[in-house]
Amino acid sequence: MTDRRDFLKVTGALGAGLVLGLRLDAKALPGKVAKTEFRPNAFLALGPDGRVRITVPKVEMGQGVRTALPMVLAEEMDLDWSRIDVVNATPGPDFKSMGTGGSTSVSTTWTTLRQAGAAAREMLKAAAAAQWGLAVGQCHTEKGFVLGPGGRKLGYGDLADAAAKQPLPSKPPLKKPGDFRLLGKRTPRFDGTDIVTGKAVFGLDVRRPGQRFAAVLRCPVPGGKPKAWDKSKAEAVHGVKAVVEVPTGLAVIAESTWAAFKGREALAATTTWDEGAAKDFSSASLETKMRAALTGPADEARKVGDAEKVLATAARLLEAEYSFPYQAHATVEPMNATAHIGQAGAELWVGSQSANRAQDRAAAALGLKPEQVQLNVPLIGGGFGRRLGTDFSTEAAQVAKAAGGGPIQVVWDREDDFRHDLFHPATLHRMRVGLDATGGISAWVHRIAGPAILRSWMGGQKSPTQAASEANGALDLPYGIPAITVDFGEVEAPTPLGWWRGIQIVPNVFARECFLDEVAHATGMDPLQLRLKLLGDQGVVKFGGEEADIRRLKKVLQVAAAKAGWGRKLPPGRGLGLACHAYDGRTYAAQVAEVSVEKGQLRIHKITCTVDCGFVVNPLGLEAQVEGGIAFGLSALFSQITWEKGRTVQTGYHDFPVLRLADMPSVETHIVSSGADPSGMGEPPVPLAIPAVLNALFAATGIRVRSLPLLPQMLQKA
Amino acid sequence: MPTHQLTVNGRVHHVDADPATPLLWILRDTLGLTGTKFGCGQGVCGSCVVHLDGQAQKSCQTSLREAAGHKVVTIEGLSKAGTHPVQHSWIAEDVAQCGYCQPGMIMTAAALLQHKPHPTDRDIDDAFADHVCRCGTYSRVRKAVHRAAGGVK
Ligand code: FES
Ligand code: FES
């Protein structure tokens, strides 16, 4: 078992075999023409018609990999962007590492895809040179053609045969960034037209011959099991074919989704439950335990000096408690998977962020070998970490098995999606700072208390990196403070947990950046000046297993402040607030929020975001990630999942408010370039939105919000 | 089960199903028109919006009985080849992220512009009040609606 970061790293690095073992197989194309495809590696196939099919090794869930990753390959190969087709990889020997998350898709495939494209380009050049009797150095490539002296010109398609016979270059030269024609250009989403015409196929749109639909009746308390039920009521519903038992509950198989839902409703009325160990769990009981863990023993995540000792003798002590609730993913496409079990094996269609793991687990559930399970990944209607879980795909395999093979599409409704999410857990944060006689920060102590996500991901095991994982965003406090302690007090909770866009960095950075704002105000310092002073002239700083270049963080903070007009005079009731963070030491971001409160109503007018994520493959996609990340972060200002009697109180968008169009602030994105290789952008904007807005709220009104969600009564005095 | 006559994208269908079945499932499971999406089935996300006699309507909240005899247009029927002005401006503004909520948004935008060729920001806020885009494409949705209206962004 690996933790999330390792999982994404290991599975992200496209096994060396793929790079070194670039295959040289010329495969016959179906059809009359006896021409061959040129397939120098698993990522691309050039047809005799000159079209190139690019296989994307990561999954698309809105973050734009079906655009960005082909751009990388197309750049090196000098393809005509209008003549490519993009297909999704399937897990197997060529794609052992499709795990998609942690904002790693570009960074982990960047070099491999460049090499893949460059190798193909060199082979095409060699093929043309041989045909012309020239040296390779006399040829160059442009938009799908090899060009030579004297106006010589050959299309890639015409060279497919010959290129396939060329030796594979071991170290093909990569382009210099100055020669890029595609990379760095604002490139619209590859699937745009399919999406706006309704042709795009998401998991829920999969339709197989003879397909049936299923809804699973699960115990509303996670871990509970059905005790007694009467199938006859469900079977009497028009369109219902069968009711079968599966490990997660009772599956109603029907001719249509609606019949499955109606059948399940009838079945539910007859079912009694053994609600299991979690039946008395509540948010209130968890909070009591978390509060106790704020002062009890804890696992250390970072220790610099002896902060407790410094606190004991500090001239002044500042202390505050922050709290962040459970959150749901609430992807608009509910969980679903389609499974078909045949003679030789099984086939699944799953919008999975962990395709290889989903394949392995479905195979195990069916008593098959992974290679007997073909797993197809359609487009994904929102992932945000939810679909790193394999619960819904394994369940679909089990339903198909119990129902005699399928094909069956298991559809979750909105309530299922909320009740059986893999939640982001609640946390409490005890923040303490010691000030010396001059008002400088001499010690910083951040205690996090809550359930451990990593334990849930590791099947209940405690990983040695658990405290570091739960303290992500807190332990990598970028500020130069002489004594720092960050630790994690684990509290057990019987709820399934998972990775959520921004992970623990969201609550941890919320507590950290808001508390620092409190320290600034308590010491009469400007929040920007305090941050700049604390970032100081630090260079690369190590935090446990990772490091960050503090100069890059300082730069984005300065640019954000300048662009947002930090320090300008604002009318009463209006304020600016800021926050910054070095995400996993890879992506540096800062945000400045401008808010106002009128008649008890918070309005978020604008968020200015600066980012340094190294080389930007597609600025248009980057801006979308910033806008979307901010919307996701702001939703968590207002939403929460609470628990009563072991079940979630919330069951849909009606009681779990996510940001709507009218409340979307204007977002301005500025890219700060650093010349580094690309890092990632899916998560880094998320954790900054909440602290930037709450710090702005304080500037506007003097109201300090330390506990989320933000409720209307908290704004009352404004 | 009674048979209902349903006109979808100009084609007449005879649908044999429980009259209480939401139009959404008739479109998706019976007619195979999967462009209209299921997001909540509770009337609060807008993924399932279609046009019923030219009005934006949540198909998860519209029964087969209510839809029968009326003209239904889905995302597949908005234009022959993605050439509706709203589809054009959606591409021009590169609105979509995952894309899942987008057919519903586009149908709402098209109906809005039909009734208000030059909507204000406030009109747009109101028209999209029941739409959820978890990917957060809202700023671009607003720009695309203004663009389709021929106004400045
Ligand atoms: S599916 Fe109809 S409003 Fe959500
Ligand atoms: S684009 Fe993903 S939900 Fe809107």
Side-chain angles (χ1 to χ4, degrees):
Chain A
M1 284 283 230
T2 50
D3 73 12
R4 174 181 184 260
R5 197 174 290 155
D6 287 342
F7 166 73
L8 294 167
K9 254 185 217 156
V10 172
T11 60
L14 301 160
L18 208 64
V19 188
L20 303 173
L22 293 164
R23 291 165 311 155
L24 202 79
D25 59 350
K27 248 198 186 168
L29 270 183
K32 295 172 222 93
V33 205
K35 282 269 207 156
T36 54
E37 266 190 344
F38 170 46
R39 296 185 62 205
N41 52 59
F43 305 108
L44 68 100
L46 163 66
D49 59 353
R51 282 196 81 83
V52 173
R53 190 172 69 244
I54 298 179
T55 302
V56 177
K58 296 283 173 181
V59 303
E60 177 66 66
M61 49 190 173
Q63 84 283 37
V65 289
R66 277 174 54 90
T67 310
L69 302 190
M71 283 173 74
V72 176
L73 192 148
E75 176 68 63
E76 287 292 350
M77 197 174 162
D78 268 329
L79 295 179
D80 177 350
W81 187 247
S82 68
R83 303 203 64 211
I84 63 166
D85 299 305
V86 174
V87 297
N88 297 346
T90 54
D94 279 342
F95 299 101
K96 291 181 184 151
S97 42
M98 289 175 63
T100 307
S103 311
T104 56
S105 288
V106 170
S107 60
T108 56
T109 60
W110 169 247
T111 305
T112 308
L113 290 174
R114 290 186 70 189
Q115 287 170 345
R121 180 232 301 142
E122 290 306 307
M123 291 162 85
L124 286 159
K125 268 163 60 178
Q131 209 155 316
W132 292 329
L134 296 169
V136 179
Q138 290 174 281
C139 306
H140 69 281
T141 51
E142 218 176 283
K143 263 198 159 186
F145 289 93
V146 180
L147 306 173
R152 289 180 178 84
K153 187 171 177 178
L154 276 168
Y156 282 3
D158 298 327
L159 289 164
D161 264 341
K165 296 183 188 102
Q166 291 295 324
L168 198 65
S170 61
K171 273 216 157 137
L174 301 182
K175 283 190 181 180
K176 294 194 180 57
D179 297 331
F180 289 162
R181 295 167 222 227
L182 204 52
L183 290 179
K185 298 266 162 8
R186 303 174 69 81
T187 307
R189 193 156 296 263
F190 188 82
D191 299 302
T193 305
D194 280 354
I195 288 169
V196 303
T197 52
K199 289 196 188 84
V201 175
F202 295 85
L204 218 43
D205 303 332
V206 168
R207 294 290 180 269
R208 308 298 305 166
Q211 176 175 319
R212 301 227 187 275
F213 299 84
V216 178
L217 180 64
R218 306 173 193 86
C219 182
V221 179
K225 300 263 172 269
K227 213 157 50 185
W229 61 92
D230 174 6
K231 310 203 250 196
S232 65
K233 291 276 187 308
E235 285 167 348
V237 170
H238 185 79
V240 169
K241 295 287 161 194
V243 174
V244 296
E245 257 182 275
V246 286
T248 54
L250 305 167
V252 178
I253 320 290
E255 280 170 358
S256 69
T257 314
W258 182 245
F261 286 168
K262 291 307 273 182
R264 181 173 67 162
E265 208 177 297
L267 182 65
T270 73
T271 307
T272 54
W273 300 97
D274 170 3
E275 294 187 342
K279 73 179 191 327
D280 296 319
F281 178 69
S282 70
S283 292
S285 63
L286 179 69
E287 188 170 333
T288 308
K289 286 208 249 169
M290 288 199 297
R291 184 142 295 110
L294 283 181
T295 48
D299 294 330
E300 200 171 89
R302 183 174 175 202
K303 194 169 167 71
V304 179
D306 189 342
E308 287 294 346
K309 209 163 139 197
V310 178
L311 283 186
T313 57
R316 196 173 158 202
L317 192 70
L318 299 174
E319 179 164 1
E321 186 184 302
Y322 280 80
S323 114
F324 190 85
Y326 266 80
Q327 295 288 350
H329 295 83
T331 62
V332 181
E333 180 192 16
M335 295 306 107
N336 65 86
T338 306
H340 189 189
I341 306 165
Q343 291 290 307
E347 188 164 9
L348 264 76
W349 292 261
V350 189
S352 174
Q353 292 179 248
S354 305
N356 307 81
R357 197 183 247 241
Q359 180 192 39
D360 287 350
R361 296 200 170 169
L366 297 173
L368 297 171
K369 296 197 194 79
E371 58 270 27
Q372 291 175 286
V373 175
Q374 158 85 21
L375 190 129
N376 311 292
V377 185
L379 289 179
I380 299 177
F384 317 120
R386 173 62 182 88
R387 288 171 156 103
L388 286 164
T390 53
D391 53 327
F392 59 101
S393 46
T394 303
E395 180 188 63
Q398 289 161 335
V399 171
K401 187 179 178 186
I408 289 183
Q409 180 169 92
V410 177
V411 183
W412 294 38
D413 72 6
R414 184 50 55 194
E415 185 171 338
D416 296 328
D417 203 73
F418 269 79
R419 287 226 192 270
H420 301 282
D421 196 356
L422 306 175
F423 300 91
H424 174 90
T427 42
L428 282 183
H429 303 256
R430 184 178 182 216
M431 314 297 299
R432 286 180 295 156
V433 143
L435 299 174
D436 61 25
T438 65
I441 302 180
S442 52
W444 174 280
V445 180
H446 185 166
R447 161 69 60 89
I448 304 156
I453 304 171
L454 188 55
R455 187 190 284 277
S456 202
W457 173 252
M458 309 264 301
Q461 299 300 308
K462 180 171 178 176
S463 144
T465 59
Q466 177 170 291
S469 177
E470 307 305 320
N472 193 348
L475 82 90
D476 44 353
L477 175 78
Y479 307 115
I481 294 171
I484 299 169
T485 298
V486 176
D487 54 16
F488 174 67
E490 187 180 0
V491 175
E492 270 179 46
T495 58
L497 304 176
W499 310 112
W500 176 77
R501 189 177 188 178
I503 55 169
Q504 297 92 333
I505 302 172
V506 179
N508 292 342
V509 166
F510 149 58
R512 180 191 100 191
E513 290 293 296
C514 285
F515 186 56
L516 187 65
D517 208 65
E518 292 199 59
V519 175
H521 290 287
T523 55
M525 276 199 76
D526 173 79
L528 172 66
Q529 292 314 320
L530 176 61
R531 282 177 175 80
L532 292 175
K533 184 180 142 202
L534 290 172
L535 293 173
D537 49 13
Q538 300 178 95
V540 173
V541 173
K542 284 202 185 322
F543 317 99
E546 62 178 65
E547 56 181 38
D549 185 342
I550 303 303
R551 290 162 296 200
R552 291 173 71 182
L553 184 61
K554 199 170 176 181
K555 183 78 191 287
V556 294
L557 179 61
Q558 284 166 324
V559 175
K563 296 286 183 192
W566 184 262
R568 77 192 135 96
K569 188 122 185 66
L570 292 164
R574 213 167 162 112
L576 294 177
L578 53 78
C580 64
H581 183 58
Y583 169 93
D584 279 4
R586 300 188 287 122
T587 295
Y588 301 81
Q591 284 176 23
V592 178
E594 181 165 348
V595 312
S596 69
V597 178
E598 260 171 70
K599 297 197 192 94
Q601 286 282 326
L602 171 68
R603 245 195 104 70
I604 304 163
H605 299 275
K606 184 175 178 180
I607 294 187
T608 306
C609 181
T610 48
V611 296
D612 168 2
C613 59
F615 182 83
V616 177
V617 169
N618 182 7
L620 194 56
L622 176 140
E623 287 163 16
Q625 287 305 292
V626 172
E627 291 158 21
I630 286 173
F632 198 88
L634 293 181
S635 287
L637 253 182
F638 305 101
S639 62
Q640 67 173 335
I641 291 291
T642 53
W643 298 85
E644 283 295 344
K645 297 202 173 80
R647 61 202 85 200
T648 65
V649 173
Q650 293 74 18
T651 55
Y653 296 119
H654 56 285
D655 51 11
F656 183 89
V658 301
L659 200 78
R660 303 271 172 157
L661 183 139
D663 300 315
M664 180 73 195
S666 119
V667 171
E668 197 178 287
T669 306
H670 298 277
I671 294 167
V672 175
S673 37
S674 61
D677 273 354
S679 53
M681 270 317 290
E683 294 188 300
V686 181
L688 299 176
I690 290 175
V693 164
L694 293 180
N695 291 341
L697 174 66
F698 181 82
T701 63
I703 296 172
R704 178 61 67 186
V705 172
R706 300 190 186 89
S707 171
L708 291 177
L710 179 60
L711 302 169
Q713 58 266 32
M714 295 176 179
L715 298 172
Q716 220 75 105
K717 57 176 176 131
Chain B
M1 288 280 147
T3 296
H4 301 265
Q5 189 174 315
L6 198 62
T7 309
V8 182
N9 302 332
R11 271 188 62 188
V12 179
H13 300 268
H14 297 276
V15 177
D16 184 18
D18 176 355
T21 309
L23 174 61
L24 170 66
W25 299 114
I26 301 292
L27 295 171
R28 291 183 53 83
D29 294 354
T30 310
L31 305 181
L33 294 170
T34 54
T36 304
K37 303 301 183 204
F38 169 55
C40 69
Q42 300 162 326
V44 289
C45 80
S47 308
C48 64
V49 169
V50 298
H51 293 174
L52 198 69
D53 294 335
Q55 304 285 339
Q57 193 89 23
K58 290 168 198 149
S59 62
C60 76
Q61 301 296 307
T62 309
S63 67
L64 172 59
R65 186 193 301 111
E66 290 161 324
H70 297 274
K71 284 203 182 91
V72 178
V73 175
T74 69
I75 187 76
E76 291 94 339
L78 188 61
S79 69
K80 278 226 160 62
T83 50
H84 187 281
V86 170
Q87 290 169 317
H88 270 310
S89 58
W90 233 256
I91 302 251
E93 294 294 344
D94 198 37
V95 177
Q97 288 188 34
C98 80
Y100 192 79
C101 72
Q102 304 280 312
M105 295 255 202
I106 289 169
M107 295 311 279
T108 288
L112 169 68
L113 290 167
Q114 190 88 56
H115 298 105
K116 278 213 170 128
H118 298 285
T120 62
D121 274 336
R122 189 58 208 276
D123 294 331
I124 297 172
D125 287 353
D126 293 346
F128 287 91
D130 282 354
H131 283 267
V132 170
C133 174
R134 189 63 161 148
C135 296
T137 61
Y138 300 126
S139 317
R140 296 184 189 199
V141 168
R142 189 187 297 283
K143 282 189 199 164
V145 173
H146 283 311
R147 179 190 277 263
V152 278
K153 295 190 273 166

